Amino acid sequence: MTNRFFIRLTLEEDERQVLSPYACLSSQSKGRERTEQPCPLRTCFQHDRDRILHCKSFRRLKHKTQVFLSPEGDHYRTRLTHTLEVSQIARTISRSLRLNEDLTEAISLGHDLGHTPFGHAGERVLDQLLPQGFHHCRQSLRVVDVLEKDGRGLNLTHEVRDGILRHSKGRGPVRMLPGSRGSLEGQAVRLADIIAYVNHDLDDALRAGVVSRDQVPQDLLEVLGQSHSQRINCLIHDCLFASEISATGEIRLSDPLLAAITDLRDWLFQHVYQVASVHDDFAKAERLISELFAYFMSRPEIMPHYGAAPLSDESLETQVADFIAGMSDRYALRLYEELFLPRPWRSLVL
Ligand code: MG
C-alpha cells in the first residue's frame, strides 16, 4: 500500500516519467513568495488549483457578466461558466501535448478572478479613474497575491501567477512575441481563452437573437465548422498540429485558422459587442460604477460595513477600486439601489 505521506512524491515522479521535457514539472517550481511546508498529498500546482477553486472571488464569478449583462436566462454564459470552458479546452490541449495539466487548470481557474462587475464596461471606468490605470489581468494577480484571505493572498506558485498575468490579449494580436510567451501551459490557457469566448459569445448572441445564423460570415464557418462543437473541436485539433513543443516553443494555431478566429472575433465586435441592444445598458453600468466610486471615495469609512477589507496602506483610489472590482453584477446593482434609490415606506397603518 502506498504510504500516504509519499503520495506527492509519487505524483512528482509520474510527471517526470510521463510529461514532455518542455512541460513545467511541479518538482521544479520556482516556489512561493512565502515558504510553506509542501502538501503530502498534492503537487504544488494541484494545491494552487484547489486554493483558487475554494476562494471567495471564484464563487463571485457566477454573477459577473461575460457578454450579456446579468442574464436571467439559464443558458447564457457568465464569467464562471466561461472560466470552466477555458479550463476544459486548455486541459485538453495540455494533456494531448503532455504538458502539465494541473498547472494549466490552476491558471485557467484563476485567469479572470480580477474581472469587474459588468465585464469590460466596469474595467473601462476603473481604468479611467485610477492614476495607475486598471486591467483585469493585473487585478487577477492582485486578487491571488493580496486581496484573498483578508489581505494575505493565496501565496500561489510563481508559475501559476505568471500564467494568470500573461493571459489576456484584448483586441490585440493572438500570437505573442518570442520572449514574452511564458510557459507552454500558460500559452495553452491564453489560446483556450479566445477559443472559448469567440465560440460561446457567438452561441449566446444567436440564443439572444442579436444576430441570426444567416448573418454569420459563411466563409468563416466553412473554415471553423458549422456547429459550436465542430468549431471547438476543429480549433483544438489545429492547435495540436500547429504548436511547437520545445524550449522556445509556442502553443499556436495554423495561419488559416488563426486568420479565421481573428476575423470572427472582429465580426463579433461589430455585430455583437458594440451593437446598441447589447451595448446600451453597459453605458448605464459605467455610470453606476462611476457613482459608486465617487461615493466611496467620499465615505471610505463605510466600506468595511459592506464587506470590504479593512483600510490598508494602499492609496484610497486603489482600495475603492479593489472593493468595486470584487463586486458581482448583482451585488453592485443591489448596493446602488440601497445607497441611491429611495425606498417606499411600507407601513399600511392608517
Ligand atoms: Mg477569460
Side-chain angles (χ1 to χ4, degrees):
M1 195 177 83
T2 311
N3 182 327
R4 67 182 187 277
F5 294 108
F6 293 114
I7 289 174
R8 174 177 51 79
L9 298 178
T10 308
L11 293 171
E12 288 174 353
E13 180 55 29
D14 289 349
E15 285 185 357
R16 280 189 285 273
Q17 298 293 329
V18 172
L19 297 186
S20 154
Y22 305 104
C24 284
L25 298 182
S26 58
S27 55
Q28 287 172 15
S29 167
K30 291 180 184 164
R32 308 177 186 282
E33 179 79 25
R34 298 187 297 278
T35 309
E36 293 177 10
Q37 196 64 18
C39 175
L41 304 181
R42 295 167 291 181
T43 69
C44 58
F45 299 145
Q46 292 173 339
H47 201 167
D48 282 2
R49 173 203 57 204
D50 296 353
R51 284 181 181 182
I52 294 167
L53 188 79
H54 290 289
C55 80
K56 287 194 286 189
S57 307
F58 185 77
R59 296 200 289 282
R60 292 200 298 269
L61 295 175
K62 73 179 169 183
H63 289 297
K64 290 195 177 195
T65 287
Q66 173 57 31
V67 169
F68 293 95
L69 194 142
S70 286
E72 290 187 0
D74 288 336
H75 296 151
Y76 290 98
R77 272 71 173 192
T78 65
R79 204 48 78 174
L80 179 64
T81 55
H82 159 72
T83 295
L84 297 175
E85 289 183 37
V86 171
S87 174
Q88 188 54 60
I89 293 168
R91 286 172 54 203
T92 302
I93 293 171
S94 206
R95 193 185 317 126
S96 306
L97 296 173
R98 291 194 296 135
L99 301 175
N100 195 317
E101 188 178 342
D102 299 320
L103 172 58
T104 307
E105 186 177 17
I107 297 170
S108 302
L109 296 184
H111 85 282
D112 270 353
L113 291 177
H115 254 295
T116 60
F118 314 122
H120 293 286
E123 186 171 25
R124 268 194 302 277
V125 176
L126 293 183
D127 189 44
Q128 288 160 9
L129 290 171
L130 290 182
Q132 70 273 29
F134 181 94
H135 193 282
H136 75 270
C137 278
R138 291 200 306 270
Q139 190 68 11
S140 293
L141 190 62
R142 192 165 158 71
V143 166
V144 298
D145 277 357
V146 180
L147 299 176
E148 268 296 327
K149 298 184 86 174
D150 300 323
R152 283 172 291 143
L154 301 177
N155 199 29
L156 303 182
T157 55
H158 167 85
E159 292 76 8
V160 174
R161 296 177 60 254
D162 186 69
I164 288 174
L165 187 60
R166 290 180 202 257
H167 84 266
S168 182
K169 62 235 127 267
R171 278 194 87 172
V174 176
R175 288 189 70 182
M176 296 175 95
L177 294 172
S180 66
R181 289 177 188 150
S183 69
L184 293 168
E185 287 83 354
Q187 293 182 48
V189 175
R190 191 171 181 277
L191 189 60
D193 192 20
I194 187 172
I195 292 176
Y197 84 72
V198 164
N199 284 294
H200 65 47
D201 290 354
L202 173 61
D203 188 49
D204 278 357
L206 291 166
R207 172 171 296 106
V210 174
V211 289
S212 70
R213 186 74 173 61
D214 301 341
Q215 286 175 276
V216 187
Q218 193 51 41
D219 58 326
L220 297 183
L221 297 185
E222 273 162 25
V223 176
L224 293 166
Q226 296 295 332
S227 72
H228 179 75
S229 65
Q230 281 171 350
R231 288 189 285 275
I232 302 266
N233 216 19
C234 164
L235 286 159
I236 291 176
H237 276 85
D238 183 77
C239 164
L240 299 183
F241 287 108
S243 294
E244 182 201 334
I245 305 301
S246 68
T248 54
E250 184 184 7
I251 304 296
R252 60 180 300 251
L253 296 170
S254 66
D255 290 341
L257 270 285
L258 178 65
I261 198 168
T262 309
D263 288 350
L264 186 54
R265 178 181 67 172
D266 293 345
W267 184 86
L268 285 169
F269 267 97
Q270 268 189 334
H271 294 83
V272 178
Y273 306 142
Q274 291 170 347
V275 297
S277 59
V278 176
H279 192 257
D280 282 0
D281 270 359
F282 284 102
K284 296 179 198 167
E286 287 184 17
R287 207 158 50 235
L288 181 152
I289 296 284
S290 301
E291 289 183 31
L292 285 177
F293 189 88
Y295 183 83
F296 287 112
M297 283 298 289
S298 64
R299 298 200 57 194
E301 72 283 359
I302 66 165
M303 285 198 298
H305 172 71
Y306 290 103
L311 299 181
S312 67
D313 50 5
E314 297 282 0
S315 73
L316 183 56
E317 286 97 342
T318 302
Q319 292 175 47
V320 175
D322 285 341
F323 179 40
I324 291 178
M327 293 176 189
S328 62
D329 295 8
R330 70 172 187 176
Y331 185 93
L333 287 166
R334 178 77 190 79
L335 185 60
Y336 186 89
E337 198 179 292
E338 180 166 320
L339 295 176
F340 298 122
L341 302 187
R343 263 177 295 184
W345 189 258
R346 297 210 175 271
S347 171
L348 297 178
V349 177
L350 289 175

mmCIF file of all heavy atoms in Angstrom, residues 14 23 50 56 64 76-77 88 91 93 105 108 124 135 140 149 172 196-197 211 231 233 255 258 278 306 324 346-347:
data_model
loop_
_atom_site.group_PDB
_atom_site.id
_atom_site.type_symbol
_atom_site.label_atom_id
_atom_site.label_comp_id
_atom_site.label_asym_id
_atom_site.label_seq_id
_atom_site.Cartn_x
_atom_site.Cartn_y
_atom_site.Cartn_z
ATOM 1 N N ASP A 14 5.737 10.586 -11.339
ATOM 2 C CA ASP A 14 4.892 10.322 -12.517
ATOM 3 C C ASP A 14 5.066 11.433 -13.554
ATOM 4 O O ASP A 14 5.151 11.168 -14.756
ATOM 5 C CB ASP A 14 3.407 10.251 -12.117
ATOM 6 C CG ASP A 14 3.090 8.992 -11.321
ATOM 7 O OD1 ASP A 14 3.958 8.097 -11.269
ATOM 8 O OD2 ASP A 14 1.991 8.923 -10.747
ATOM 9 N N ALA A 23 7.589 20.494 -20.481
ATOM 10 C CA ALA A 23 6.499 20.820 -19.551
ATOM 11 C C ALA A 23 7.089 21.401 -18.270
ATOM 12 O O ALA A 23 8.266 21.185 -17.963
ATOM 13 C CB ALA A 23 5.707 19.547 -19.228
ATOM 14 N N ASP A 50 -6.633 24.002 -6.095
ATOM 15 C CA ASP A 50 -7.644 23.853 -5.046
ATOM 16 C C ASP A 50 -7.837 25.162 -4.278
ATOM 17 O O ASP A 50 -8.948 25.521 -3.913
ATOM 18 C CB ASP A 50 -7.249 22.731 -4.079
ATOM 19 C CG ASP A 50 -7.223 21.377 -4.785
ATOM 20 O OD1 ASP A 50 -7.641 21.313 -5.956
ATOM 21 O OD2 ASP A 50 -6.767 20.392 -4.169
ATOM 22 N N LYS A 56 -13.216 32.913 -2.339
ATOM 23 C CA LYS A 56 -14.496 33.618 -2.493
ATOM 24 C C LYS A 56 -14.592 34.313 -3.851
ATOM 25 O O LYS A 56 -15.668 34.367 -4.447
ATOM 26 C CB LYS A 56 -14.662 34.636 -1.363
ATOM 27 C CG LYS A 56 -14.954 33.978 -0.022
ATOM 28 C CD LYS A 56 -15.451 34.981 1.006
ATOM 29 C CE LYS A 56 -14.320 35.856 1.493
ATOM 30 N NZ LYS A 56 -14.678 36.701 2.637
ATOM 31 N N LYS A 64 -20.978 37.450 -12.461
ATOM 32 C CA LYS A 64 -20.299 38.513 -13.210
ATOM 33 C C LYS A 64 -20.565 38.324 -14.696
ATOM 34 O O LYS A 64 -20.547 37.193 -15.196
ATOM 35 C CB LYS A 64 -18.791 38.497 -12.928
ATOM 36 C CG LYS A 64 -18.449 38.954 -11.509
ATOM 37 C CD LYS A 64 -16.976 39.270 -11.367
ATOM 38 C CE LYS A 64 -16.682 39.785 -9.961
ATOM 39 N NZ LYS A 64 -15.368 40.424 -9.856
ATOM 40 N N TYR A 76 -27.254 31.357 -20.661
ATOM 41 C CA TYR A 76 -26.198 32.299 -21.043
ATOM 42 C C TYR A 76 -24.956 32.062 -20.199
ATOM 43 O O TYR A 76 -25.055 31.699 -19.029
ATOM 44 C CB TYR A 76 -26.667 33.745 -20.845
ATOM 45 C CG TYR A 76 -27.726 34.154 -21.824
ATOM 46 C CD1 TYR A 76 -29.064 34.128 -21.470
ATOM 47 C CD2 TYR A 76 -27.380 34.537 -23.117
ATOM 48 C CE1 TYR A 76 -30.051 34.485 -22.376
ATOM 49 C CE2 TYR A 76 -28.361 34.899 -24.035
ATOM 50 C CZ TYR A 76 -29.694 34.863 -23.656
ATOM 51 O OH TYR A 76 -30.656 35.203 -24.557
ATOM 52 N N ARG A 77 -23.808 32.321 -20.827
ATOM 53 C CA ARG A 77 -22.560 32.196 -20.071
ATOM 54 C C ARG A 77 -22.436 33.333 -19.067
ATOM 55 O O ARG A 77 -22.871 34.452 -19.327
ATOM 56 C CB ARG A 77 -21.337 32.255 -21.000
ATOM 57 C CG ARG A 77 -20.921 30.914 -21.547
ATOM 58 C CD ARG A 77 -21.908 30.413 -22.541
ATOM 59 N NE ARG A 77 -21.458 29.204 -23.217
ATOM 60 C CZ ARG A 77 -22.056 28.720 -24.287
ATOM 61 N NH1 ARG A 77 -23.119 29.317 -24.807
ATOM 62 N NH2 ARG A 77 -21.597 27.624 -24.861
ATOM 63 N N GLN A 88 -11.523 23.590 -19.511
ATOM 64 C CA GLN A 88 -11.664 22.305 -20.195
ATOM 65 C C GLN A 88 -10.876 22.275 -21.503
ATOM 66 O O GLN A 88 -10.195 21.285 -21.817
ATOM 67 C CB GLN A 88 -13.147 22.014 -20.459
ATOM 68 C CG GLN A 88 -13.392 20.627 -20.988
ATOM 69 C CD GLN A 88 -12.780 19.571 -20.076
ATOM 70 O OE1 GLN A 88 -13.134 19.473 -18.902
ATOM 71 N NE2 GLN A 88 -11.826 18.802 -20.580
ATOM 72 N N ARG A 91 -7.093 22.249 -20.740
ATOM 73 C CA ARG A 91 -6.639 20.953 -20.211
ATOM 74 C C ARG A 91 -6.538 19.925 -21.331
ATOM 75 O O ARG A 91 -5.618 19.086 -21.342
ATOM 76 C CB ARG A 91 -7.597 20.465 -19.122
ATOM 77 C CG ARG A 91 -7.436 21.230 -17.819
ATOM 78 C CD ARG A 91 -8.511 20.856 -16.825
ATOM 79 N NE ARG A 91 -8.568 19.428 -16.615
ATOM 80 C CZ ARG A 91 -9.644 18.777 -16.174
ATOM 81 N NH1 ARG A 91 -10.762 19.449 -15.916
ATOM 82 N NH2 ARG A 91 -9.611 17.489 -15.990
ATOM 83 N N ILE A 93 -5.861 20.510 -24.467
ATOM 84 C CA ILE A 93 -4.634 20.842 -25.221
ATOM 85 C C ILE A 93 -3.413 20.376 -24.433
ATOM 86 O O ILE A 93 -2.507 19.719 -24.953
ATOM 87 C CB ILE A 93 -4.563 22.369 -25.482
ATOM 88 C CG1 ILE A 93 -5.675 22.809 -26.440
ATOM 89 C CG2 ILE A 93 -3.191 22.768 -26.020
ATOM 90 C CD1 ILE A 93 -5.827 24.316 -26.581
ATOM 91 N N GLU A 105 -4.750 23.883 -15.428
ATOM 92 C CA GLU A 105 -6.054 24.048 -14.783
ATOM 93 C C GLU A 105 -6.014 25.177 -13.756
ATOM 94 O O GLU A 105 -6.940 26.002 -13.682
ATOM 95 C CB GLU A 105 -6.469 22.732 -14.103
ATOM 96 C CG GLU A 105 -7.879 22.790 -13.551
ATOM 97 C CD GLU A 105 -8.323 21.464 -12.939
ATOM 98 O OE1 GLU A 105 -7.466 20.609 -12.642
ATOM 99 O OE2 GLU A 105 -9.541 21.293 -12.755
ATOM 100 N N SER A 108 -6.042 28.468 -15.559
ATOM 101 C CA SER A 108 -7.369 28.690 -16.159
ATOM 102 C C SER A 108 -8.371 29.175 -15.113
ATOM 103 O O SER A 108 -9.103 30.143 -15.340
ATOM 104 C CB SER A 108 -7.934 27.399 -16.758
ATOM 105 O OG SER A 108 -7.088 26.880 -17.727
ATOM 106 N N ARG A 124 -13.287 49.500 -18.018
ATOM 107 C CA ARG A 124 -13.008 50.800 -18.669
ATOM 108 C C ARG A 124 -13.120 51.953 -17.671
ATOM 109 O O ARG A 124 -12.275 52.843 -17.636
ATOM 110 C CB ARG A 124 -14.009 51.036 -19.807
ATOM 111 C CG ARG A 124 -13.546 50.545 -21.155
ATOM 112 C CD ARG A 124 -14.413 51.107 -22.264
ATOM 113 N NE ARG A 124 -15.824 50.770 -22.121
ATOM 114 C CZ ARG A 124 -16.358 49.613 -22.521
ATOM 115 N NH1 ARG A 124 -15.604 48.694 -23.088
ATOM 116 N NH2 ARG A 124 -17.651 49.372 -22.355
ATOM 117 N N HIS A 135 -6.364 47.009 -15.197
ATOM 118 C CA HIS A 135 -6.530 45.940 -16.191
ATOM 119 C C HIS A 135 -6.856 44.659 -15.439
ATOM 120 O O HIS A 135 -6.244 44.367 -14.412
ATOM 121 C CB HIS A 135 -5.261 45.767 -17.029
ATOM 122 C CG HIS A 135 -5.489 44.911 -18.230
ATOM 123 N ND1 HIS A 135 -5.567 43.539 -18.160
ATOM 124 C CD2 HIS A 135 -5.700 45.239 -19.524
ATOM 125 C CE1 HIS A 135 -5.796 43.050 -19.369
ATOM 126 N NE2 HIS A 135 -5.885 44.064 -20.220
ATOM 127 N N SER A 140 -6.389 40.285 -11.472
ATOM 128 C CA SER A 140 -6.463 38.855 -11.136
ATOM 129 C C SER A 140 -5.256 38.466 -10.282
ATOM 130 O O SER A 140 -5.381 37.731 -9.296
ATOM 131 C CB SER A 140 -6.484 37.985 -12.405
ATOM 132 O OG SER A 140 -7.668 38.184 -13.121
ATOM 133 N N LYS A 149 -8.269 36.079 1.270
ATOM 134 C CA LYS A 149 -7.952 35.731 2.661
ATOM 135 C C LYS A 149 -7.592 36.978 3.480
ATOM 136 O O LYS A 149 -6.539 37.031 4.136
ATOM 137 C CB LYS A 149 -6.832 34.685 2.724
ATOM 138 C CG LYS A 149 -7.227 33.367 2.041
ATOM 139 C CD LYS A 149 -6.198 32.310 2.173
ATOM 140 C CE LYS A 149 -6.369 31.559 3.475
ATOM 141 N NZ LYS A 149 -5.458 30.407 3.569
ATOM 142 N N GLY A 172 -5.903 42.819 -29.264
ATOM 143 C CA GLY A 172 -4.563 42.784 -29.856
ATOM 144 C C GLY A 172 -4.302 41.455 -30.546
ATOM 145 O O GLY A 172 -5.170 40.596 -30.628
ATOM 146 N N ALA A 196 -12.528 29.710 -26.420
ATOM 147 C CA ALA A 196 -13.776 29.618 -25.641
ATOM 148 C C ALA A 196 -14.659 30.823 -25.900
ATOM 149 O O ALA A 196 -15.830 30.673 -26.271
ATOM 150 C CB ALA A 196 -13.450 29.502 -24.149
ATOM 151 N N TYR A 197 -14.112 32.033 -25.746
ATOM 152 C CA TYR A 197 -15.041 33.179 -25.744
ATOM 153 C C TYR A 197 -15.585 33.498 -27.124
ATOM 154 O O TYR A 197 -16.762 33.869 -27.264
ATOM 155 C CB TYR A 197 -14.463 34.391 -24.999
ATOM 156 C CG TYR A 197 -13.539 35.331 -25.742
ATOM 157 C CD1 TYR A 197 -14.007 36.192 -26.722
ATOM 158 C CD2 TYR A 197 -12.193 35.416 -25.422
ATOM 159 C CE1 TYR A 197 -13.162 37.076 -27.373
ATOM 160 C CE2 TYR A 197 -11.336 36.291 -26.062
ATOM 161 C CZ TYR A 197 -11.831 37.122 -27.049
ATOM 162 O OH TYR A 197 -10.984 37.984 -27.694
ATOM 163 N N VAL A 211 -27.950 38.311 -33.342
ATOM 164 C CA VAL A 211 -27.603 38.003 -34.734
ATOM 165 C C VAL A 211 -28.343 36.719 -35.128
ATOM 166 O O VAL A 211 -28.725 35.929 -34.258
ATOM 167 C CB VAL A 211 -26.077 37.783 -34.941
ATOM 168 C CG1 VAL A 211 -25.308 39.077 -34.815
ATOM 169 C CG2 VAL A 211 -25.534 36.743 -33.964
ATOM 170 N N ARG A 231 -16.677 23.639 -34.162
ATOM 171 C CA ARG A 231 -15.682 24.729 -34.164
ATOM 172 C C ARG A 231 -14.650 24.531 -33.045
ATOM 173 O O ARG A 231 -13.449 24.673 -33.265
ATOM 174 C CB ARG A 231 -16.389 26.094 -34.008
ATOM 175 C CG ARG A 231 -17.146 26.522 -35.244
ATOM 176 C CD ARG A 231 -17.638 27.955 -35.151
ATOM 177 N NE ARG A 231 -18.781 28.124 -34.264
ATOM 178 C CZ ARG A 231 -20.057 27.947 -34.627
ATOM 179 N NH1 ARG A 231 -20.349 27.596 -35.866
ATOM 180 N NH2 ARG A 231 -21.027 28.133 -33.767
ATOM 181 N N ASN A 233 -13.821 21.723 -31.596
ATOM 182 C CA ASN A 233 -13.055 20.536 -31.971
ATOM 183 C C ASN A 233 -11.994 20.866 -33.018
ATOM 184 O O ASN A 233 -10.834 20.477 -32.915
ATOM 185 C CB ASN A 233 -14.053 19.513 -32.540
ATOM 186 C CG ASN A 233 -13.672 18.121 -32.168
ATOM 187 O OD1 ASN A 233 -12.909 17.918 -31.231
ATOM 188 N ND2 ASN A 233 -14.175 17.161 -32.929
ATOM 189 N N ASP A 255 -1.866 29.249 -39.616
ATOM 190 C CA ASP A 255 -2.199 30.583 -40.147
ATOM 191 C C ASP A 255 -3.654 30.696 -40.621
ATOM 192 O O ASP A 255 -4.321 31.679 -40.296
ATOM 193 C CB ASP A 255 -1.225 30.981 -41.264
ATOM 194 C CG ASP A 255 0.164 31.264 -40.695
ATOM 195 O OD1 ASP A 255 0.253 31.510 -39.475
ATOM 196 O OD2 ASP A 255 1.140 31.222 -41.463
ATOM 197 N N LEU A 258 -5.903 30.767 -37.525
ATOM 198 C CA LEU A 258 -5.657 31.992 -36.764
ATOM 199 C C LEU A 258 -6.372 33.162 -37.436
ATOM 200 O O LEU A 258 -7.026 33.980 -36.764
ATOM 201 C CB LEU A 258 -4.146 32.267 -36.686
ATOM 202 C CG LEU A 258 -3.755 33.544 -35.948
ATOM 203 C CD1 LEU A 258 -4.122 33.457 -34.473
ATOM 204 C CD2 LEU A 258 -2.248 33.810 -36.098
ATOM 205 N N VAL A 278 -27.091 45.410 -27.100
ATOM 206 C CA VAL A 278 -26.208 44.798 -26.102
ATOM 207 C C VAL A 278 -25.465 45.884 -25.325
ATOM 208 O O VAL A 278 -25.290 45.804 -24.106
ATOM 209 C CB VAL A 278 -25.175 43.865 -26.787
ATOM 210 C CG1 VAL A 278 -24.192 43.294 -25.776
ATOM 211 C CG2 VAL A 278 -25.897 42.736 -27.513
ATOM 212 N N TYR A 306 -19.782 47.094 4.297
ATOM 213 C CA TYR A 306 -20.288 46.310 3.164
ATOM 214 C C TYR A 306 -19.347 45.158 2.784
ATOM 215 O O TYR A 306 -19.452 44.600 1.701
ATOM 216 C CB TYR A 306 -20.512 47.228 1.964
ATOM 217 C CG TYR A 306 -21.682 48.164 2.184
ATOM 218 C CD1 TYR A 306 -21.468 49.497 2.509
ATOM 219 C CD2 TYR A 306 -22.992 47.693 2.114
ATOM 220 C CE1 TYR A 306 -22.534 50.351 2.737
ATOM 221 C CE2 TYR A 306 -24.061 48.538 2.348
ATOM 222 C CZ TYR A 306 -23.828 49.864 2.652
ATOM 223 O OH TYR A 306 -24.890 50.686 2.886
ATOM 224 N N ILE A 324 -14.747 47.715 -5.484
ATOM 225 C CA ILE A 324 -15.709 47.701 -6.597
ATOM 226 C C ILE A 324 -15.400 46.558 -7.570
ATOM 227 O O ILE A 324 -16.303 45.848 -8.024
ATOM 228 C CB ILE A 324 -15.719 49.071 -7.315
ATOM 229 C CG1 ILE A 324 -16.347 50.113 -6.374
ATOM 230 C CG2 ILE A 324 -16.485 48.996 -8.632
ATOM 231 C CD1 ILE A 324 -16.377 51.512 -6.920
ATOM 232 N N ARG A 346 -43.256 51.171 4.040
ATOM 233 C CA ARG A 346 -44.127 50.034 3.771
ATOM 234 C C ARG A 346 -45.310 49.901 4.750
ATOM 235 O O ARG A 346 -46.187 49.096 4.534
ATOM 236 C CB ARG A 346 -43.323 48.743 3.749
ATOM 237 C CG ARG A 346 -42.287 48.713 2.629
ATOM 238 C CD ARG A 346 -42.011 47.333 2.138
ATOM 239 N NE ARG A 346 -41.109 47.372 0.987
ATOM 240 C CZ ARG A 346 -41.517 47.469 -0.267
ATOM 241 N NH1 ARG A 346 -42.807 47.511 -0.530
ATOM 242 N NH2 ARG A 346 -40.645 47.532 -1.261
ATOM 243 N N SER A 347 -45.307 50.662 5.846
ATOM 244 C CA SER A 347 -46.387 50.511 6.826
ATOM 245 C C SER A 347 -47.735 50.955 6.229
ATOM 246 O O SER A 347 -47.824 51.996 5.581
ATOM 247 C CB SER A 347 -46.078 51.357 8.063
ATOM 248 O OG SER A 347 -47.224 51.359 8.881
#
